DNA sequence: AACGATATCAACCGCCATAGT
DNA sequence: AACTATGGCGGTTGATATCGT
């Protein structure tokens, strides 16, 4: 029973928070959300952390527009299972239940509107779900689709790109997700190799700690002295 | 260029299931 | 067995972007 009801942060996540979360998920895994939330010093609920990770920061996410194949699959599976979004999402690698849910809402709205005015002159667009898509992207590669490519060309730095960078930089060294982004602004972040053996051994005590949580928190904050807001726009603003 | 309508997406809320004590 | 904490899920909302006039 919790006697103290803390005031948790809400609303959009900042870059700083994202970086913190990613690194602490690397350290502690993506299960113990409450623990991660506390230890990271993020003033967020575990739920909120989980949601951010699952819907935005997870390395396997595709993002970008649905491919025609995916759209068809969503339709099929929804016909089969109804609004079981997470179940449907499991059949679409790289897609989240939230994304599919959002897509479906849009899709249904379009459908409803088309029914209202079936002979609209510009109604070439019944294809909200397929025919107009010209790109033939592979479905499971986690690759980028048309929109994604365009965004990259425009300077948009997608999570895919970020994680690719992480992969290329070596598995053991956890890079801050957006350090390239920062470095372009001459804001360097220096991480210790968090996954190093020394770290791991020192972490053992953390599993049993309570009182030491604050230490971890202060570590976390010390690593990221930056503070500025970011939103969808900031990703593409460079 | 300005403004309203619509689309998109991120995030929160409340409920439920399950694991742990 | 009962209770609590936590995670997961689906529904919903609000902010922002884009489009059309």
């Amino acid at each position: 029973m919790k006697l103290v009801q803390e005031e948790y942060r809400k609303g959009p996540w900042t870059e700083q928070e994202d970086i913190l979360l990613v690194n602490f998920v690397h350290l502690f895994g993506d299960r113990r959300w409450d623990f991660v939330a506390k230890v990271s010093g993020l003033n967020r609920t575990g739920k909120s952390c989980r949601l951010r990770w699952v819907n935005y920061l997870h390395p396997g996410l595709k993002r970008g527009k649905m491919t025609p194949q995916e759209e068809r699959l969503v339709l099929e599976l929804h016909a089969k299972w109804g609004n079981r979004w997470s179940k449907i999402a499991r059949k679409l690698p790289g897609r989240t239940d939230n994304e599919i849910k959002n897509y479906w809402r849009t899709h249904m709205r379009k459908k409803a509107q088309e029914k209202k005015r079936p002979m609209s002159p510009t109604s070439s667009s019944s294809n909200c779900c397929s025919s107009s898509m010209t790109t033939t992207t592979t479905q499971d590669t986690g690759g980028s689709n048309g929109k994604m490519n365009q965004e990259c060309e425009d300077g948009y730095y997608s999570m895919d790109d970020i994680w690719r960078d992480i992969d290329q930089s070596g598995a053991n060294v956890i890079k801050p997700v957006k350090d390239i982004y920062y470095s372009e602004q001459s804001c360097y972040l220096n991480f210790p190799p968090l996954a190093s053996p020394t770290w791991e051994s020192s972490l053992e005590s953390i599993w049993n700690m309570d009182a030491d949580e604050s230490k971890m928190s202060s570590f976390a904050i010390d690593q990221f002295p930056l503070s500025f807001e970011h939103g969808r726009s900031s990703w593409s603003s460079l």
Side-chain angles (χ1 to χ4, degrees), chain A residues 14 27 32-33 56 72 82 98 101 123 132 141 145 182 230:
Chain A
T14 63
L27 283 171
R32 308 177 59 191
W33 291 112
Y56 194 78
R72 217 176 306 127
N98 213 27
K101 198 163 51 180
S123 65
S132 76
T141 53
N145 59 23
Y182 286 126
H230 88 110

Side-chain angles (χ1 to χ4, degrees), chain A residues 201-221:
Chain A
S201 59
S202 70
L203 286 174
E204 269 177 38
S205 59
I206 293 167
W207 291 109
N208 305 319
M209 77 170 185
D210 262 336
D212 281 350
E213 283 179 3
S214 57
K215 281 187 204 164
M216 286 295 293
S217 304
S218 63
F219 151 75
I221 298 299

